[in-house]
Structure formats: C-alpha cells, structure tokens
Amino acid sequence: MKNLKRNIAIVCGGDSSEHDVSLRSAQGLYSFFDKERYNVYLVDVKGMDWHVNLHDGTTAPIDRNDFSFQEDGKLVMFDYAYITIHGTPGENGIMQGYFELIHLPYSTSGVLVEAMTFDKFVLNNYLRGFGVSVAESLLIRKGYEELVSDDEIEEKIGMPCFVKPAADGSSFGVTKVKNKDQLAPAIRKAMMESDDVMVESFLEGTEITVGCYKTKEKTVVFPITEVVTKNEFFDYDAKYNGQVEEITPARIPEETAERARQLTSFIYDILHCNGIIRIDYIISKDQKISMLEINTTPGMTATSFIPQQVRAAGLDIKDVLTEIVENQFV
C-alpha cells in the first residue's frame, strides 16, 4: 500500500478572458510535476463543463459531487487539487469553497483570502491598515458611475492614472489614462471585465515581482525579478507576447531587495496564504516600496516569473511542487 501514488488534479481553464493562458500554465505544471511520485491529470473547468483529460487523449466528465471520474471502468478519486485558473472561479474563492465542501486539499489560499486578493480595491485598503504602502484609489460601481466625477478623480488620484477592473485576475480592461477626456472610455472598457472599476494613482519607479511559498518547516522567498517594458505598462502583450525584459535578480540595492523580501513574507503571513504567491511592487527613486497586487495563482509556463525565479534560486521546480503538495499532508 505504501507505494500508492497520490492522484493530483491540475485544475485549469475557468471563465475569464485568461482561459487559454491558464491552459498553458497547466501544461507547464504537468511537465514540472514528479510523475514517479504522482498520477497527474489536467482538469479543464469552463462553466458547467468539467472534464479530465485522460492519458489516451480522450476526456471524461468530472462528477461534481465528489470531483471523481471514471477511467477504464474504474472510479478515480483525487487526493489533491493544484489550482492554476487565472480569474474566476479559481482565483476568487469560488473553487476553493467547493473544495472545502468536499474536503479536498488544494494549492492556494483559503476562500476569504482568495476573494480579497481578487478584489484589488478591497485588498489595498485592507493591507493599508497593516502599514503596507499602496497607491491612492477610488472605486466606481456599474450603475453608480455618476457618484464619482471626472474632476474628483483628477483631484484625488491625479493624472496620469490607471483604470482597471477591480475584481479580475488579468491584464484585460486596463488603461493608462493621461487626461480627463480618456476617463469615460477607459471606465467603459474596464466594466466589460468587472462590475467594479478601480481608478488608481500612477506610481513611478522600478517594477519588481517577488515569489514566495511557505511550508510548516520553512519560508522560501525567491530571487526578485525586475520587470522592464517599453509599453505604457505591464499589459497583456508585455506579459504574454514577449514585449518585456525580465531581469533576475533585479538591479536594485541589496538593502531594498531585503526589505522587499521581508515585506513579501510579512504579507504572506498577514493573509495566511498557502502555496506559491507572487507580489508585484513599485520601487520609487527614494527606495520606497509600494505594493501593486498579489497573484495567488501565478503563471507557471516555463518562461513565467515563478519558474524563472525557482531556477535563479538554484532550486528544482519539481521539488518545490512536491514540498507544497506534501505540506498539506504533514
């Protein structure tokens, strides 16, 4: 019995604009997992269509009562779910709530943390209470746009500013606004992705991103990556179409790097995170570190930030994933 492998579901897809990006992360994770130790399956979730990709190239429906499926006439139950859905329902607490109900261990943080990190406005204001520096922001809700005027935005937030979906896990719907005339179309664009829109002040400086995970035995903060793009900001093309330079380790003073690492570990603990997270920051000229956002299901293709940082740390991604899974069973 001791040689039985755990069955791992890499849960991907989802209902957001980043469905196909999630599938690429799932393929990356599948290649990283230790197949000698685990039976690994891809589970594609989209709307009410939940199916597992079988090793013979066919698919089988997932029984949502217990997240099981049939293979060769036999019932297969999963021991663990590795969630790599970018956006709903995997990054906002919905999938986590389902796995809590059926008592299946999973890779991300819990329901509340996922819901909160998915809503950038809520997260920023929560972490501000713990002394974390974040950009000034305003919230605009669909149907109540008239409650916040363009003049008020310009006065409180300033120009340029960012208009982005408040509750979304992607780079879609984000606009860098340089004057008041651009606000209305930018807000409409963002509302195509989310009913809540956040208008956020522009922070100038060096953008970095820091990955981190913790187990019961240790804390691992990966080498910091500097994000350099000639685009207006780190948009979809920069993120996924190579229009960016990613430098690991980042070209920042060691004292600043150490503060960024400590802040990442501090935020991980404040939120009681689980699994791998990645936090994006802006470092201003005076070396002030401001948090941009937290990604609780970071991209996991071979060229994504986390695999890059794992390699830079001299670690093997296969071992990292094994530690994260086994931490749930200690």
Side-chain angles (χ1 to χ4, degrees):
M1 292 292 288
K2 66 180 180 180
N3 294 323
L4 285 178
K5 295 181 180 180
R6 297 195 203 278
N7 293 326
I8 306 287
I10 298 176
V11 186
C12 57
D15 303 321
S16 80
S17 306
E18 286 197 279
H19 177 273
D20 292 348
V21 175
S22 168
L23 299 186
R24 297 208 294 271
S25 283
Q27 291 291 345
L29 280 163
Y30 185 85
S31 72
F32 299 147
F33 262 105
D34 185 349
K35 311 300 191 307
E36 298 293 315
R37 184 164 189 152
Y38 303 114
N39 297 316
V40 186
Y41 296 86
L42 296 186
V43 176
D44 193 341
V45 171
K46 188 170 176 63
M48 298 300 284
D49 177 18
W50 294 24
H51 64 265
V52 58
N53 296 331
L54 302 178
H55 300 127
D56 63 3
T58 64
T59 65
I62 290 285
D63 182 345
R64 284 189 293 274
N65 289 299
D66 56 8
F67 205 61
S68 66
F69 66 96
Q70 297 277 341
E71 185 174 25
D72 298 328
K74 295 178 182 176
L75 179 71
V76 180
M77 301 288 293
F78 284 112
D79 300 297
Y80 185 89
Y82 197 104
I83 303 171
T84 190
I85 293 173
H86 309 312
T88 189
E91 208 170 9
N92 57 359
I94 295 174
M95 206 81 203
Q96 289 78 7
Y98 164 74
F99 288 133
E100 291 282 354
L101 285 172
I102 64 170
H103 303 289
L104 184 69
Y106 54 89
S107 60
T108 69
S109 309
V111 175
L112 176 61
V113 175
E114 292 296 320
M116 191 159 58
T117 55
F118 192 68
D119 190 313
K120 300 176 181 74
F121 185 79
V122 170
L123 177 71
N124 282 11
N125 283 285
Y126 180 75
L127 289 178
R128 185 183 277 121
F130 289 89
V132 177
S133 173
V134 294
E136 284 295 326
S137 59
L138 285 170
L139 187 68
I140 301 173
R141 295 190 186 279
K142 186 174 282 187
Y144 298 90
E145 293 90 339
E146 73 284 351
L147 294 180
V148 181
S149 69
D150 292 353
D151 288 337
E152 185 180 351
I153 291 172
E154 185 175 45
E155 182 181 342
K156 181 173 181 183
I157 304 301
M159 295 290 164
C161 65
F162 283 105
V163 176
K164 59 178 72 173
D168 189 56
S170 76
S171 304
F172 290 97
V174 181
T175 305
K176 185 177 181 181
V177 171
K178 297 178 179 177
N179 58 64
K180 280 195 301 184
D181 295 341
Q182 298 174 345
L183 280 170
I187 291 167
R188 284 196 297 272
K189 179 181 175 183
M191 280 185 177
M192 293 174 70
E193 300 290 333
S194 168
D195 285 349
D196 290 348
V197 170
M198 182 166 77
V199 184
E200 189 177 51
S201 64
F202 172 67
L203 297 176
E204 190 166 5
T206 302
E207 183 167 350
I208 62 166
T209 188
V210 190
C212 175
Y213 75 95
K214 300 193 180 195
T215 65
K216 293 178 176 71
E217 283 78 39
K218 64 182 179 181
T219 294
V220 178
V221 182
F222 298 126
I224 298 169
T225 300
E226 182 181 345
V227 183
V228 183
T229 179
K230 291 184 173 64
N231 298 10
E232 283 280 6
F233 59 97
F234 189 48
D235 59 8
Y236 184 88
D237 282 330
K239 194 179 284 188
Y240 300 118
N241 294 330
Q243 298 175 11
V244 68
E245 188 180 358
E246 299 163 4
I247 302 162
T248 309
R251 300 167 301 182
I252 58 176
E254 176 53 32
E255 184 272 335
T256 305
E258 179 58 26
R259 284 193 292 118
R261 290 191 288 266
Q262 290 179 359
L263 180 57
T264 301
S265 179
F266 175 63
I267 292 172
Y268 194 107
D269 290 342
I270 288 171
L271 297 174
H272 197 57
C273 290
N274 180 51
I276 299 175
I277 68 165
R278 204 192 76 230
I279 307 184
D280 302 337
Y281 302 99
I282 286 283
I283 301 173
S284 61
K285 284 183 179 177
D286 63 1
Q287 301 303 302
K288 180 179 180 181
I289 303 171
S290 298
M291 191 204 73
L292 293 177
E293 65 177 292
I294 299 176
N295 195 325
T296 58
T297 59
M300 294 295 282
T301 68
T303 58
S304 295
F305 287 121
I306 292 297
Q308 282 184 53
Q309 292 179 4
V310 170
R311 288 192 297 272
L315 302 173
D316 188 328
I317 188 83
K318 179 173 72 175
D319 297 335
V320 170
L321 292 174
T322 296
E323 283 185 8
I324 287 167
V325 171
E326 294 305 316
N327 188 56
Q328 301 287 112
F329 299 98
V330 175

PDB file of all heavy atoms in Angstrom, residues 293-324:
ATOM      1  N   GLU A 293      -0.013  44.527  -6.616  1.00  0.00           N
ATOM      2  CA  GLU A 293      -1.044  43.498  -6.479  1.00  0.00           C
ATOM      3  C   GLU A 293      -0.424  42.170  -6.089  1.00  0.00           C
ATOM      4  O   GLU A 293       0.781  41.971  -6.173  1.00  0.00           O
ATOM      5  CB  GLU A 293      -1.869  43.353  -7.757  1.00  0.00           C
ATOM      6  CG  GLU A 293      -1.135  42.855  -8.975  1.00  0.00           C
ATOM      7  CD  GLU A 293      -2.088  42.674 -10.158  1.00  0.00           C
ATOM      8  OE1 GLU A 293      -2.943  41.777 -10.090  1.00  0.00           O
ATOM      9  OE2 GLU A 293      -1.965  43.427 -11.132  1.00  0.00           O
ATOM     10  N   ILE A 294      -1.286  41.258  -5.663  1.00  0.00           N
ATOM     11  CA  ILE A 294      -0.871  39.917  -5.264  1.00  0.00           C
ATOM     12  C   ILE A 294      -1.490  38.919  -6.227  1.00  0.00           C
ATOM     13  O   ILE A 294      -2.691  38.974  -6.516  1.00  0.00           O
ATOM     14  CB  ILE A 294      -1.321  39.605  -3.826  1.00  0.00           C
ATOM     15  CG1 ILE A 294      -0.677  40.590  -2.841  1.00  0.00           C
ATOM     16  CG2 ILE A 294      -0.972  38.164  -3.450  1.00  0.00           C
ATOM     17  CD1 ILE A 294      -1.145  40.411  -1.417  1.00  0.00           C
ATOM     18  N   ASN A 295      -0.675  37.996  -6.712  1.00  0.00           N
ATOM     19  CA  ASN A 295      -1.158  36.944  -7.601  1.00  0.00           C
ATOM     20  C   ASN A 295      -1.072  35.631  -6.840  1.00  0.00           C
ATOM     21  O   ASN A 295       0.021  35.164  -6.514  1.00  0.00           O
ATOM     22  CB  ASN A 295      -0.293  36.906  -8.871  1.00  0.00           C
ATOM     23  CG  ASN A 295      -0.935  36.097  -9.982  1.00  0.00           C
ATOM     24  OD1 ASN A 295      -1.586  35.106  -9.726  1.00  0.00           O
ATOM     25  ND2 ASN A 295      -0.733  36.530 -11.208  1.00  0.00           N
ATOM     26  N   THR A 296      -2.233  35.036  -6.549  1.00  0.00           N
ATOM     27  CA  THR A 296      -2.257  33.795  -5.770  1.00  0.00           C
ATOM     28  C   THR A 296      -2.263  32.547  -6.650  1.00  0.00           C
ATOM     29  O   THR A 296      -2.111  31.438  -6.143  1.00  0.00           O
ATOM     30  CB  THR A 296      -3.490  33.755  -4.846  1.00  0.00           C
ATOM     31  OG1 THR A 296      -4.674  33.875  -5.641  1.00  0.00           O
ATOM     32  CG2 THR A 296      -3.442  34.872  -3.824  1.00  0.00           C
ATOM     33  N   THR A 297      -2.446  32.723  -7.957  1.00  0.00           N
ATOM     34  CA  THR A 297      -2.292  31.606  -8.896  1.00  0.00           C
ATOM     35  C   THR A 297      -1.387  32.081 -10.029  1.00  0.00           C
ATOM     36  O   THR A 297      -1.827  32.264 -11.163  1.00  0.00           O
ATOM     37  CB  THR A 297      -3.646  31.105  -9.453  1.00  0.00           C
ATOM     38  OG1 THR A 297      -4.306  32.172 -10.133  1.00  0.00           O
ATOM     39  CG2 THR A 297      -4.548  30.583  -8.357  1.00  0.00           C
ATOM     40  N   PRO A 298      -0.103  32.308  -9.718  1.00  0.00           N
ATOM     41  CA  PRO A 298       0.800  32.874 -10.725  1.00  0.00           C
ATOM     42  C   PRO A 298       1.005  31.940 -11.909  1.00  0.00           C
ATOM     43  O   PRO A 298       0.884  30.714 -11.782  1.00  0.00           O
ATOM     44  CB  PRO A 298       2.098  33.085  -9.948  1.00  0.00           C
ATOM     45  CG  PRO A 298       2.019  32.177  -8.780  1.00  0.00           C
ATOM     46  CD  PRO A 298       0.575  32.053  -8.435  1.00  0.00           C
ATOM     47  N   GLY A 299       1.305  32.539 -13.063  1.00  0.00           N
ATOM     48  CA  GLY A 299       1.557  31.758 -14.270  1.00  0.00           C
ATOM     49  C   GLY A 299       2.675  30.752 -14.059  1.00  0.00           C
ATOM     50  O   GLY A 299       3.651  31.023 -13.374  1.00  0.00           O
ATOM     51  N   MET A 300       2.540  29.573 -14.686  1.00  0.00           N
ATOM     52  CA  MET A 300       3.509  28.501 -14.459  1.00  0.00           C
ATOM     53  C   MET A 300       3.997  27.868 -15.758  1.00  0.00           C
ATOM     54  O   MET A 300       4.298  26.679 -15.798  1.00  0.00           O
ATOM     55  CB  MET A 300       2.896  27.436 -13.543  1.00  0.00           C
ATOM     56  CG  MET A 300       2.621  27.933 -12.134  1.00  0.00           C
ATOM     57  SD  MET A 300       4.110  28.375 -11.191  1.00  0.00           S
ATOM     58  CE  MET A 300       4.681  26.748 -10.725  1.00  0.00           C
ATOM     59  N   THR A 301       4.049  28.659 -16.825  1.00  0.00           N
ATOM     60  CA  THR A 301       4.711  28.161 -18.029  1.00  0.00           C
ATOM     61  C   THR A 301       6.220  28.195 -17.786  1.00  0.00           C
ATOM     62  O   THR A 301       6.685  28.812 -16.817  1.00  0.00           O
ATOM     63  CB  THR A 301       4.370  29.007 -19.263  1.00  0.00           C
ATOM     64  OG1 THR A 301       4.953  30.313 -19.119  1.00  0.00           O
ATOM     65  CG2 THR A 301       2.860  29.168 -19.437  1.00  0.00           C
ATOM     66  N   ALA A 302       6.983  27.573 -18.662  1.00  0.00           N
ATOM     67  CA  ALA A 302       8.437  27.512 -18.467  1.00  0.00           C
ATOM     68  C   ALA A 302       9.069  28.898 -18.402  1.00  0.00           C
ATOM     69  O   ALA A 302      10.099  29.104 -17.749  1.00  0.00           O
ATOM     70  CB  ALA A 302       9.078  26.690 -19.574  1.00  0.00           C
ATOM     71  N   THR A 303       8.451  29.885 -19.082  1.00  0.00           N
ATOM     72  CA  THR A 303       9.017  31.235 -19.119  1.00  0.00           C
ATOM     73  C   THR A 303       8.350  32.188 -18.129  1.00  0.00           C
ATOM     74  O   THR A 303       8.694  33.367 -18.082  1.00  0.00           O
ATOM     75  CB  THR A 303       8.893  31.832 -20.538  1.00  0.00           C
ATOM     76  OG1 THR A 303       7.508  31.848 -20.922  1.00  0.00           O
ATOM     77  CG2 THR A 303       9.686  31.006 -21.542  1.00  0.00           C
ATOM     78  N   SER A 304       7.409  31.711 -17.329  1.00  0.00           N
ATOM     79  CA  SER A 304       6.733  32.567 -16.351  1.00  0.00           C
ATOM     80  C   SER A 304       7.702  32.976 -15.243  1.00  0.00           C
ATOM     81  O   SER A 304       8.768  32.384 -15.066  1.00  0.00           O
ATOM     82  CB  SER A 304       5.529  31.843 -15.736  1.00  0.00           C
ATOM     83  OG  SER A 304       4.532  31.588 -16.699  1.00  0.00           O
ATOM     84  N   PHE A 305       7.305  33.991 -14.475  1.00  0.00           N
ATOM     85  CA  PHE A 305       8.183  34.529 -13.429  1.00  0.00           C
ATOM     86  C   PHE A 305       8.605  33.477 -12.408  1.00  0.00           C
ATOM     87  O   PHE A 305       9.780  33.377 -12.053  1.00  0.00           O
ATOM     88  CB  PHE A 305       7.490  35.685 -12.694  1.00  0.00           C
ATOM     89  CG  PHE A 305       7.399  36.957 -13.485  1.00  0.00           C
ATOM     90  CD1 PHE A 305       6.171  37.523 -13.769  1.00  0.00           C
ATOM     91  CD2 PHE A 305       8.544  37.595 -13.935  1.00  0.00           C
ATOM     92  CE1 PHE A 305       6.073  38.701 -14.499  1.00  0.00           C
ATOM     93  CE2 PHE A 305       8.463  38.783 -14.658  1.00  0.00           C
ATOM     94  CZ  PHE A 305       7.224  39.338 -14.941  1.00  0.00           C
ATOM     95  N   ILE A 306       7.643  32.711 -11.887  1.00  0.00           N
ATOM     96  CA  ILE A 306       7.960  31.779 -10.803  1.00  0.00           C
ATOM     97  C   ILE A 306       8.971  30.712 -11.238  1.00  0.00           C
ATOM     98  O   ILE A 306       9.998  30.526 -10.556  1.00  0.00           O
ATOM     99  CB  ILE A 306       6.682  31.149 -10.219  1.00  0.00           C
ATOM    100  CG1 ILE A 306       5.831  32.207  -9.480  1.00  0.00           C
ATOM    101  CG2 ILE A 306       7.016  29.983  -9.288  1.00  0.00           C
ATOM    102  CD1 ILE A 306       6.505  32.841  -8.277  1.00  0.00           C
ATOM    103  N   PRO A 307       8.753  30.010 -12.348  1.00  0.00           N
ATOM    104  CA  PRO A 307       9.800  29.055 -12.767  1.00  0.00           C
ATOM    105  C   PRO A 307      11.159  29.713 -12.993  1.00  0.00           C
ATOM    106  O   PRO A 307      12.198  29.121 -12.667  1.00  0.00           O
ATOM    107  CB  PRO A 307       9.228  28.472 -14.067  1.00  0.00           C
ATOM    108  CG  PRO A 307       7.749  28.580 -13.895  1.00  0.00           C
ATOM    109  CD  PRO A 307       7.542  29.872 -13.174  1.00  0.00           C
ATOM    110  N   GLN A 308      11.149  30.949 -13.514  1.00  0.00           N
ATOM    111  CA  GLN A 308      12.417  31.691 -13.674  1.00  0.00           C
ATOM    112  C   GLN A 308      13.093  31.896 -12.323  1.00  0.00           C
ATOM    113  O   GLN A 308      14.298  31.683 -12.168  1.00  0.00           O
ATOM    114  CB  GLN A 308      12.157  33.074 -14.281  1.00  0.00           C
ATOM    115  CG  GLN A 308      11.902  33.116 -15.773  1.00  0.00           C
ATOM    116  CD  GLN A 308      11.757  34.569 -16.228  1.00  0.00           C
ATOM    117  OE1 GLN A 308      12.611  35.385 -15.971  1.00  0.00           O
ATOM    118  NE2 GLN A 308      10.665  34.874 -16.904  1.00  0.00           N
ATOM    119  N   GLN A 309      12.306  32.317 -11.333  1.00  0.00           N
ATOM    120  CA  GLN A 309      12.860  32.626 -10.011  1.00  0.00           C
ATOM    121  C   GLN A 309      13.317  31.352  -9.298  1.00  0.00           C
ATOM    122  O   GLN A 309      14.318  31.369  -8.570  1.00  0.00           O
ATOM    123  CB  GLN A 309      11.823  33.385  -9.182  1.00  0.00           C
ATOM    124  CG  GLN A 309      11.544  34.785  -9.714  1.00  0.00           C
ATOM    125  CD  GLN A 309      10.489  35.537  -8.906  1.00  0.00           C
ATOM    126  OE1 GLN A 309      10.001  35.057  -7.889  1.00  0.00           O
ATOM    127  NE2 GLN A 309      10.136  36.728  -9.372  1.00  0.00           N
ATOM    128  N   VAL A 310      12.587  30.259  -9.514  1.00  0.00           N
ATOM    129  CA  VAL A 310      12.993  28.977  -8.931  1.00  0.00           C
ATOM    130  C   VAL A 310      14.361  28.570  -9.480  1.00  0.00           C
ATOM    131  O   VAL A 310      15.255  28.165  -8.724  1.00  0.00           O
ATOM    132  CB  VAL A 310      11.935  27.891  -9.224  1.00  0.00           C
ATOM    133  CG1 VAL A 310      12.459  26.508  -8.844  1.00  0.00           C
ATOM    134  CG2 VAL A 310      10.641  28.181  -8.458  1.00  0.00           C
ATOM    135  N   ARG A 311      14.535  28.712 -10.793  1.00  0.00           N
ATOM    136  CA  ARG A 311      15.832  28.376 -11.409  1.00  0.00           C
ATOM    137  C   ARG A 311      16.935  29.284 -10.873  1.00  0.00           C
ATOM    138  O   ARG A 311      18.044  28.832 -10.571  1.00  0.00           O
ATOM    139  CB  ARG A 311      15.749  28.485 -12.938  1.00  0.00           C
ATOM    140  CG  ARG A 311      14.939  27.378 -13.595  1.00  0.00           C
ATOM    141  CD  ARG A 311      15.138  27.361 -15.101  1.00  0.00           C
ATOM    142  NE  ARG A 311      14.669  28.573 -15.760  1.00  0.00           N
ATOM    143  CZ  ARG A 311      13.418  28.758 -16.197  1.00  0.00           C
ATOM    144  NH1 ARG A 311      12.508  27.810 -16.023  1.00  0.00           N
ATOM    145  NH2 ARG A 311      13.074  29.882 -16.808  1.00  0.00           N
ATOM    146  N   ALA A 312      16.640  30.592 -10.738  1.00  0.00           N
ATOM    147  CA  ALA A 312      17.635  31.545 -10.246  1.00  0.00           C
ATOM    148  C   ALA A 312      18.043  31.237  -8.808  1.00  0.00           C
ATOM    149  O   ALA A 312      19.163  31.542  -8.388  1.00  0.00           O
ATOM    150  CB  ALA A 312      17.092  32.976 -10.349  1.00  0.00           C
ATOM    151  N   ALA A 313      17.126  30.619  -8.057  1.00  0.00           N
ATOM    152  CA  ALA A 313      17.419  30.256  -6.662  1.00  0.00           C
ATOM    153  C   ALA A 313      18.208  28.951  -6.573  1.00  0.00           C
ATOM    154  O   ALA A 313      18.606  28.534  -5.475  1.00  0.00           O
ATOM    155  CB  ALA A 313      16.120  30.122  -5.880  1.00  0.00           C
ATOM    156  N   GLY A 314      18.433  28.315  -7.734  1.00  0.00           N
ATOM    157  CA  GLY A 314      19.151  27.050  -7.737  1.00  0.00           C
ATOM    158  C   GLY A 314      18.309  25.880  -7.268  1.00  0.00           C
ATOM    159  O   GLY A 314      18.825  24.835  -6.859  1.00  0.00           O
ATOM    160  N   LEU A 315      16.981  26.057  -7.318  1.00  0.00           N
ATOM    161  CA  LEU A 315      16.055  25.008  -6.886  1.00  0.00           C
ATOM    162  C   LEU A 315      15.478  24.282  -8.084  1.00  0.00           C
ATOM    163  O   LEU A 315      15.540  24.769  -9.215  1.00  0.00           O
ATOM    164  CB  LEU A 315      14.911  25.619  -6.050  1.00  0.00           C
ATOM    165  CG  LEU A 315      15.330  26.394  -4.793  1.00  0.00           C
ATOM    166  CD1 LEU A 315      14.119  27.080  -4.175  1.00  0.00           C
ATOM    167  CD2 LEU A 315      15.993  25.471  -3.785  1.00  0.00           C
ATOM    168  N   ASP A 316      14.893  23.124  -7.838  1.00  0.00           N
ATOM    169  CA  ASP A 316      14.211  22.352  -8.878  1.00  0.00           C
ATOM    170  C   ASP A 316      12.712  22.518  -8.672  1.00  0.00           C
ATOM    171  O   ASP A 316      12.204  22.233  -7.578  1.00  0.00           O
ATOM    172  CB  ASP A 316      14.602  20.871  -8.775  1.00  0.00           C
ATOM    173  CG  ASP A 316      14.084  20.044  -9.941  1.00  0.00           C
ATOM    174  OD1 ASP A 316      13.005  20.367 -10.478  1.00  0.00           O
ATOM    175  OD2 ASP A 316      14.749  19.047 -10.300  1.00  0.00           O
ATOM    176  N   ILE A 317      12.013  22.996  -9.691  1.00  0.00           N
ATOM    177  CA  ILE A 317      10.568  23.239  -9.581  1.00  0.00           C
ATOM    178  C   ILE A 317       9.815  21.967  -9.194  1.00  0.00           C
ATOM    179  O   ILE A 317       8.813  22.004  -8.478  1.00  0.00           O
ATOM    180  CB  ILE A 317      10.010  23.851 -10.895  1.00  0.00           C
ATOM    181  CG1 ILE A 317       8.549  24.288 -10.735  1.00  0.00           C
ATOM    182  CG2 ILE A 317      10.143  22.885 -12.052  1.00  0.00           C
ATOM    183  CD1 ILE A 317       8.349  25.609 -10.136  1.00  0.00           C
ATOM    184  N   LYS A 318      10.325  20.823  -9.621  1.00  0.00           N
ATOM    185  CA  LYS A 318       9.696  19.547  -9.260  1.00  0.00           C
ATOM    186  C   LYS A 318       9.697  19.358  -7.744  1.00  0.00           C
ATOM    187  O   LYS A 318       8.685  18.962  -7.150  1.00  0.00           O
ATOM    188  CB  LYS A 318      10.448  18.395  -9.945  1.00  0.00           C
ATOM    189  CG  LYS A 318       9.913  17.009  -9.630  1.00  0.00           C
ATOM    190  CD  LYS A 318      10.604  15.940 -10.466  1.00  0.00           C
ATOM    191  CE  LYS A 318      12.039  15.726  -9.998  1.00  0.00           C
ATOM    192  NZ  LYS A 318      12.684  14.605 -10.711  1.00  0.00           N
ATOM    193  N   ASP A 319      10.832  19.682  -7.112  1.00  0.00           N
ATOM    194  CA  ASP A 319      10.937  19.544  -5.657  1.00  0.00           C
ATOM    195  C   ASP A 319      10.062  20.569  -4.940  1.00  0.00           C
ATOM    196  O   ASP A 319       9.458  20.265  -3.900  1.00  0.00           O
ATOM    197  CB  ASP A 319      12.393  19.717  -5.218  1.00  0.00           C
ATOM    198  CG  ASP A 319      13.305  18.648  -5.786  1.00  0.00           C
ATOM    199  OD1 ASP A 319      12.810  17.545  -6.102  1.00  0.00           O
ATOM    200  OD2 ASP A 319      14.516  18.929  -5.943  1.00  0.00           O
ATOM    201  N   VAL A 320       9.993  21.780  -5.486  1.00  0.00           N
ATOM    202  CA  VAL A 320       9.159  22.825  -4.889  1.00  0.00           C
ATOM    203  C   VAL A 320       7.694  22.396  -4.887  1.00  0.00           C
ATOM    204  O   VAL A 320       6.995  22.504  -3.863  1.00  0.00           O
ATOM    205  CB  VAL A 320       9.328  24.162  -5.652  1.00  0.00           C
ATOM    206  CG1 VAL A 320       8.283  25.181  -5.200  1.00  0.00           C
ATOM    207  CG2 VAL A 320      10.736  24.722  -5.456  1.00  0.00           C
ATOM    208  N   LEU A 321       7.212  21.880  -6.011  1.00  0.00           N
ATOM    209  CA  LEU A 321       5.819  21.442  -6.090  1.00  0.00           C
ATOM    210  C   LEU A 321       5.547  20.276  -5.143  1.00  0.00           C
ATOM    211  O   LEU A 321       4.483  20.213  -4.511  1.00  0.00           O
ATOM    212  CB  LEU A 321       5.473  21.051  -7.533  1.00  0.00           C
ATOM    213  CG  LEU A 321       5.445  22.204  -8.538  1.00  0.00           C
ATOM    214  CD1 LEU A 321       5.227  21.678  -9.952  1.00  0.00           C
ATOM    215  CD2 LEU A 321       4.366  23.231  -8.192  1.00  0.00           C
ATOM    216  N   THR A 322       6.502  19.372  -5.041  1.00  0.00           N
ATOM    217  CA  THR A 322       6.339  18.243  -4.123  1.00  0.00           C
ATOM    218  C   THR A 322       6.229  18.743  -2.678  1.00  0.00           C
ATOM    219  O   THR A 322       5.368  18.276  -1.911  1.00  0.00           O
ATOM    220  CB  THR A 322       7.527  17.268  -4.248  1.00  0.00           C
ATOM    221  OG1 THR A 322       7.534  16.717  -5.570  1.00  0.00           O
ATOM    222  CG2 THR A 322       7.415  16.128  -3.239  1.00  0.00           C
ATOM    223  N   GLU A 323       7.069  19.706  -2.302  1.00  0.00           N
ATOM    224  CA  GLU A 323       7.005  20.276  -0.943  1.00  0.00           C
ATOM    225  C   GLU A 323       5.640  20.905  -0.680  1.00  0.00           C
ATOM    226  O   GLU A 323       5.074  20.751   0.406  1.00  0.00           O
ATOM    227  CB  GLU A 323       8.095  21.337  -0.764  1.00  0.00           C
ATOM    228  CG  GLU A 323       9.474  20.785  -0.551  1.00  0.00           C
ATOM    229  CD  GLU A 323      10.489  21.880  -0.255  1.00  0.00           C
ATOM    230  OE1 GLU A 323      10.079  23.044  -0.078  1.00  0.00           O
ATOM    231  OE2 GLU A 323      11.682  21.565  -0.192  1.00  0.00           O
ATOM    232  N   ILE A 324       5.112  21.636  -1.670  1.00  0.00           N
ATOM    233  CA  ILE A 324       3.835  22.324  -1.496  1.00  0.00           C
ATOM    234  C   ILE A 324       2.698  21.320  -1.331  1.00  0.00           C
ATOM    235  O   ILE A 324       1.826  21.471  -0.465  1.00  0.00           O
ATOM    236  CB  ILE A 324       3.576  23.278  -2.679  1.00  0.00           C
ATOM    237  CG1 ILE A 324       4.510  24.493  -2.557  1.00  0.00           C
ATOM    238  CG2 ILE A 324       2.128  23.723  -2.739  1.00  0.00           C
ATOM    239  CD1 ILE A 324       4.581  25.347  -3.789  1.00  0.00           C
TER     240      ILE A 324
END
